[in-house]
Amino acid sequence: MQSSTATAGTAGVPYRPQVAAHFASLEVQNHAARLGMWLFLATEILLFAGLFVIYANYRFLFPEAFALASRELNLNMGTFNTLLLITSSFTAAMAVHYAKEAKNKQVVLMFVLTILMALGFLVVKYFEYSHKFHEHQLPGPYYAFPGLTLPGASAYFTIYFLSTGLHAFHVIIGMIVLGWVTLKAMRNEFSHYNYTAVELGSMYWHLVDLVWIFLFPMLYLI
Amino acid sequence: MSPSSSIAAEPGAVPAPDEHHEHHPSYLVDGTTVKSWLLTLDHKRIGVMYLIWVLLFFLIGGIYALVVRLELLTPGPTIIDAMTYNRAFTMHGVVMIFLFMIPAIPGAFGNFMLPLMLGAKDVAFPRLNLLSLYLLLTGAVIAIWGMINGGMDTGWTFYTPYSTHTTTTVAPILFGAFIIGFSSIATGLNFIVTTHTMRAPGITWFKMPLFVWAMYATACIQVLATPVLGLVLLLVVGEHLFHFGIFDPAMGGDPVLFQHLFWFYSHPAVYIMVLPAFGVMSEVVAAFSRKNIFGYRAVAFSSLGIAFVGFFAWGHHMFVSGQSTFNAGVFAVLTMLVGVFTAIKVFNWVGTVYKGAVDFKTPFAYFCGFLYFTVFGGMTGVAFATASLDVPWHDTYFVVAHFHFIMVGATIMAFMAAIHYWFPKMFGKMYHEGWGLVSAALIILGFNATFIPQFLLGNAGMPRRYYEYPERFQTLNVASTAGASLLAFGFLISAIYLTYALVYGRRAASNPWRSKGYEWMTESPPPTHNFVGPQPTYPEEPHFYVEPKKAEVPDAV
Ligand code: HEM
Ligand SMILES: [Cu+2]
């Protein structure tokens, strides 16, 4: 709406993004962006896959300690966080839906909700972490929890902090990415022609969600 | 050849000035400020910058190599103490692998040639491309800072638990390698997307030049393997700083797990280094045999085949790590499969040369060296894959000789061939052919003289990474060091005449080799947006040479 030309705004002709000089058409440019994002997400999954392998290895080496240590996590907080993330994934998907219809206000709303839920997730994580610190359920040599002294328990908490820490880092990156897309939506940029940024941002957010869907049962449930 | 028709095709001929050149300056002169280079988004300039940097890294790695070789001249201490020696071979390996071999061909020639070969104006993500160069440099600066401030003595394989306990500067060097990994992923991702989305009309998948196929297969490995290395390097940094104990048996950790994760990347990584070399050579062999490549599809698919089986062969680095006999057998067979795919390529290259009209120029000389190193090195690899043979050879100089033959030998040959073959394309100048051949001969000879003694040493039982050795190994060590000096001398000659050619070289014709590769369908050096006027069309397959006997007339055009 701020734009002076008729190409912007929900009322007039939808905003048409510029095609970079080296692309043949907008379709090709969007296709390239999407493919690039898929590949990037594949690398992210492989990064976490390394952690899953490590988890599987130590679970195999120390089955008992791992089973007992996983009982030390707060299942309520974990479940709550899982629900938060799944819901936020839904709002992120809705943002794409609205972007295609050039409803930029709704896009903003959906992303703000998503970001708020991400923030909620981090707050819950903060309480979980501080409890672990308080109990000395910490990685490796810092582990000093009297309630569980089996060998391998410290390895469990090393993996717990590594994987949830790496995941939390991704949550923060996701919030930044979505924040940036929200700014673009506020400038009314999205329409049927141009919603790639919304789509890619929300794809990234789905990844964050997906990784958690694996982490949650792995760490809290089994 | 009549003088009128041959002028444009003669190497060194100065093409008549025409309007095109005035309106479309080559990418080299389109903007001459430092900033126009450092912040460029042009894949060609980025390629040239990569070339400059990887050459510098090669020099640094080479100096470390010479230090190592000089130290091993005598059985006892020669020029440095034991700790410095450990640091020197570690740094040699780290610099050569992460800063030279992996980025060299994709970064320099992939960047330059891939879009040209696809008839595209640039790679799909030019900014990401520039970023990946700067990530490489950032990682390099951090790693080199670590080397200056203490260095590291773990060997480039960073085996735990030693690497988590040593007091040398592990953290910055591994963190540097971690960042370099991102650079590698970014390049791979960019190339995959470029190949999928930016092919000019007419270039179908099976009309892509074989270099593009090789870059594509390499990119798949870069994207799929590097994240795992990234994770494991981060973990080792964490281990080193905080001693979590994940890989430390004293704390219940599992060092073999580290080896699995490390080699899951690092074995495919050897194909990140050698597949681009295969790609270069497919171009060179067609151009200098003046024959269509034999078995195009087989060569293309075998790149993908190597990339694929490369992921299932890592266990051959762990035959002596307490692996079960069954696992060893499985990994042995999977490893040998790589040999099958490589052999397909070798047969096709030989088939291409067969009855070709060979033009024995410098790139072709490197092709000959390449074929020899690949076959010899590859066969020692198959021997290694036999678990029972690996046991006595493991961690001896036989390993060192093997991997230098196959990955360094093959890749350096391809890198040198690429420099010579594409020099006129990139810089519009000709180098001195005679010196080119002399230098190629010295390098190939030097390589053999360096590493054949190492095969013998390893077979006789000399362990690698040892500072001192028994008297009886000295003769072969002296031979190896002498060979290394010859090798260095060969590279020095190349450096001199190529630099000279850059400044004083004769102006090259736009296609001095009369190559049919797609990248030659534009001017040399190309204009900023790669093509002047309408985009070329691609009615023929790449490397489409008329059969040599009939070739005389069309060639002169
Ligand atoms: C230019 C001539 C070269 C010479 C004379 C040379 C010499 C050596 C020597 C003597 C070693 C064994 C160190 C030891 O185990 O004690 C070695 C190891 C190694 N070299 Fe080279 N090298 C050369 C080029 C290269 C290149 C171009 C690469 C690129 C990848 C390379 C990669 C390696 C690697 C990865 C190791 C293993 C290091 C380790 O195991 O710690 N070398 N080299
Ligand atoms: Cu291997």
Side-chain angles (χ1 to χ4, degrees):
Chain A
M1 249 165 262
Q2 280 83 353
S3 175
S4 56
T5 67
T7 54
T10 43
V13 185
Y15 176 94
R16 262 186 190 267
Q18 225 187 331
V19 183
H22 60 293
F23 282 113
S25 68
L26 185 60
E27 282 69 44
V28 176
Q29 177 169 318
N30 288 344
H31 179 191
R34 229 170 275 146
L35 185 61
M37 191 65 184
W38 276 111
L39 284 169
F40 173 68
L41 295 186
T43 67
E44 290 276 32
I45 289 177
L46 284 159
L47 182 76
F48 281 99
L51 275 172
F52 296 156
V53 168
I54 291 176
Y55 172 85
N57 185 61
Y58 288 103
R59 173 116 203 159
F60 177 75
L61 288 178
F62 307 107
E64 232 176 299
F66 267 51
L68 289 176
S70 74
R71 296 289 156 266
E72 291 298 322
L73 300 194
N74 189 325
L75 193 54
N76 290 336
M77 288 192 179
T79 313
F80 179 72
N81 259 350
T82 309
L83 292 177
L84 262 186
L85 275 194
I86 292 178
T87 319
S88 71
S89 229
F90 173 74
T91 50
M94 287 311 286
V96 182
H97 171 78
Y98 287 126
K100 282 187 206 171
E101 300 186 346
K103 295 182 179 155
N104 281 288
K105 288 221 178 70
Q106 277 88 333
V107 175
V108 174
L109 176 70
M110 287 300 136
F111 274 151
V112 167
L113 282 177
T114 311
I115 293 171
L116 284 179
M117 283 184 264
L119 202 64
F121 178 90
L122 290 179
V123 171
V124 174
K125 265 270 78 79
Y126 168 78
F127 284 115
E128 274 193 270
Y129 274 6
S130 46
H131 181 71
K132 296 274 158 302
F133 271 83
H134 181 74
E135 298 276 0
H136 296 288
Q137 292 165 339
L138 291 173
Y142 311 99
Y143 181 82
F145 178 56
L148 179 59
T149 52
L150 284 177
S154 67
Y156 177 86
F157 284 99
T158 310
I159 293 169
Y160 168 78
F161 275 101
L162 278 175
S163 44
T164 55
L166 193 63
H167 178 260
F169 178 69
H170 280 77
V171 172
I172 295 170
I173 301 285
M175 289 166 71
I176 295 171
V177 170
L178 293 188
W180 173 70
V181 182
T182 310
L183 284 181
K184 286 168 85 76
M186 283 171 160
R187 279 191 253 114
N188 223 349
E189 282 188 17
F190 301 118
S191 71
H192 168 66
Y193 297 109
N194 176 36
Y195 57 92
T196 315
V198 184
E199 195 184 358
L200 301 192
S202 106
M203 268 164 82
Y204 186 81
W205 192 252
H206 293 324
L207 170 94
V208 173
D209 179 36
L210 180 78
V211 168
W212 181 256
I213 300 285
F214 280 97
L215 286 180
F216 175 61
M218 178 177 115
L219 294 169
Y220 290 75
L221 297 181
I222 53 177
Chain B
M1 278 184 272
S2 73
S4 59
S5 67
S6 67
I7 274 187
E10 269 311 293
V14 183
D18 62 340
E19 284 94 321
H20 276 351
H21 284 89
E22 270 129 34
H23 296 298
H24 300 277
S26 92
Y27 80 98
L28 282 172
V29 293
D30 186 6
T32 46
T33 58
V34 175
K35 199 176 137 206
S36 74
W37 276 89
L38 295 185
L39 296 181
T40 181
L41 297 181
D42 181 347
H43 66 102
K44 300 182 289 302
R45 287 192 166 193
I46 294 175
V48 170
M49 287 197 284
Y50 258 107
L51 184 61
I52 295 168
W53 283 108
V54 297
L55 285 171
L56 180 75
F57 297 141
F58 185 57
L59 179 69
I60 298 176
I63 290 171
Y64 276 118
L66 287 179
V67 169
V68 167
R69 255 348 301 169
L70 276 179
E71 173 50 46
L72 293 176
L73 203 54
T74 66
T78 313
I79 51 169
I80 48 179
D81 62 284
M83 191 59 186
T84 315
Y85 172 81
N86 291 348
R87 290 176 171 145
F89 76 68
T90 301
M91 288 347 298
H92 165 68
V94 170
V95 171
M96 284 297 198
I97 299 267
F98 293 106
L99 292 176
F100 177 71
M101 302 276 284
I102 290 178
I105 296 179
F109 302 109
N111 260 324
F112 201 105
M113 299 302 161
L114 189 90
L116 287 177
M117 288 178 168
L118 294 175
K121 293 197 186 120
D122 208 322
V123 292
F125 308 119
R127 281 200 195 88
L128 182 69
N129 201 14
L130 185 66
L131 177 70
S132 97
L133 172 67
Y134 284 111
L135 282 176
L136 177 75
L137 297 183
T138 311
V141 166
I142 296 176
I144 290 173
W145 179 83
M147 290 175 207
I148 295 168
N149 288 285
M152 182 172 78
D153 62 347
T154 63
W156 78 277
T157 46
F158 321 128
Y159 269 17
T160 57
Y162 185 71
S163 59
T164 59
H165 283 281
T166 172
T167 51
T168 50
T169 327
V170 168
I173 296 176
L174 290 197
F175 191 64
F178 173 75
I179 294 177
I180 293 165
F182 278 103
S183 159
S184 180
I185 292 176
T187 304
L189 191 151
N190 217 338
F191 285 1
I192 294 179
V193 176
T194 305
T195 312
H196 273 271
T197 61
M198 318 264 309
R199 281 173 284 126
I203 304 186
T204 59
W205 279 88
F206 290 110
K207 272 166 80 181
M208 293 194 318
L210 286 167
F211 181 67
V212 177
W213 271 105
M215 291 313 311
Y216 183 78
T218 309
C220 292
I221 309 179
Q222 284 177 304
V223 168
L224 296 179
T226 318
V228 180
L229 178 79
L231 178 80
V232 78
L233 290 182
L234 266 195
L235 287 180
V236 175
V237 172
E239 285 276 284
H240 185 79
L241 297 178
F242 306 109
H243 297 285
F244 291 146
I246 284 256
F247 298 131
D248 187 351
M251 295 165 71
D254 184 355
V256 177
L257 181 62
F258 169 84
Q259 296 189 18
H260 279 293
L261 293 171
F262 179 81
W263 287 112
F264 178 79
Y265 167 80
S266 291
H267 181 75
V270 306
Y271 304 116
I272 298 180
M273 304 175 220
V274 93
L275 274 176
F278 290 175
V280 170
M281 284 310 179
S282 299
E283 300 289 326
V284 166
V285 73
F288 291 87
S289 310
R290 307 215 51 72
K291 251 183 81 188
N292 214 342
I293 192 96
F294 185 85
Y296 166 89
R297 285 191 184 218
V299 178
F301 279 125
S302 58
S303 288
L304 293 182
I306 290 175
F308 182 73
V309 281
F311 276 101
F312 303 98
W314 79 90
H316 63 220
H317 293 274
M318 300 167 65
F319 285 149
V320 298
S321 70
Q323 199 173 48
S324 74
T325 316
F326 177 75
N327 283 358
V330 170
F331 279 123
V333 172
L334 288 170
T335 305
M336 289 180 194
L337 268 184
V338 180
V340 175
F341 287 112
T342 313
I344 291 175
K345 284 185 184 293
V346 170
F347 289 132
N348 283 297
W349 290 320
V350 175
T352 306
V353 180
Y354 179 69
K355 288 199 175 160
V358 171
D359 192 9
F360 204 98
K361 295 268 167 53
T362 310
F364 195 83
Y366 282 111
F367 169 76
C368 296
F370 163 84
L371 204 60
Y372 157 75
F373 286 122
T374 307
V375 171
F376 195 149
M379 288 198 308
T380 58
V382 176
F384 255 127
T386 314
S388 56
L389 287 176
D390 178 82
V391 173
W393 279 333
H394 181 78
D395 261 339
T396 67
Y397 264 88
F398 203 90
V399 175
V400 178
H402 153 70
F403 73 65
H404 277 85
F405 250 63
I406 184 76
M407 64 184 221
V408 186
T411 307
I412 294 284
M413 292 297 118
F415 183 72
M416 296 302 286
I419 290 187
H420 289 84
Y421 176 49
W422 283 317
F423 196 82
K425 177 91 248 164
M426 296 173 83
F427 305 111
K429 297 286 178 78
M430 288 310 284
Y431 55 87
H432 191 288
E433 190 58 48
W435 282 114
L437 288 171
V438 167
S439 158
L442 285 179
I443 290 174
I444 294 172
L445 261 178
F447 230 96
N448 278 297
T450 311
F451 295 108
I452 287 183
Q454 294 189 14
F455 276 118
L456 302 175
L457 279 170
N459 204 34
M462 175 160 163
R464 71 196 277 210
R465 301 181 180 177
Y466 271 41
Y467 174 63
E468 293 176 338
Y469 54 82
E471 208 83 53
R472 70 194 156 95
F473 291 137
Q474 190 176 7
T475 321
L476 285 171
N477 270 303
V478 172
S480 180
T481 304
S485 322
L486 192 63
L487 189 53
F489 185 59
F491 282 121
L492 185 69
I493 294 181
S494 277
I496 292 171
Y497 71 78
L498 286 177
T499 317
Y500 181 85
L502 217 46
V503 187
Y504 304 106
R506 290 177 308 160
R507 180 90 191 276
S510 68
N511 185 357
W513 318 119
R514 293 169 299 152
S515 167
K516 300 279 170 109
Y518 288 168
E519 74 276 26
W520 298 96
M521 289 170 68
T522 181
E523 286 149 50
S524 308
T528 306
H529 291 298
N530 291 355
F531 306 99
V532 176
Q535 200 177 31
T537 51
Y538 301 88
E540 291 172 343
E541 286 167 30
H543 335 290
F544 189 84
Y545 294 89
V546 183
E547 284 302 308
K549 276 184 209 119
K550 302 174 231 150
E552 263 97 64
V553 184
D555 270 352
V557 177

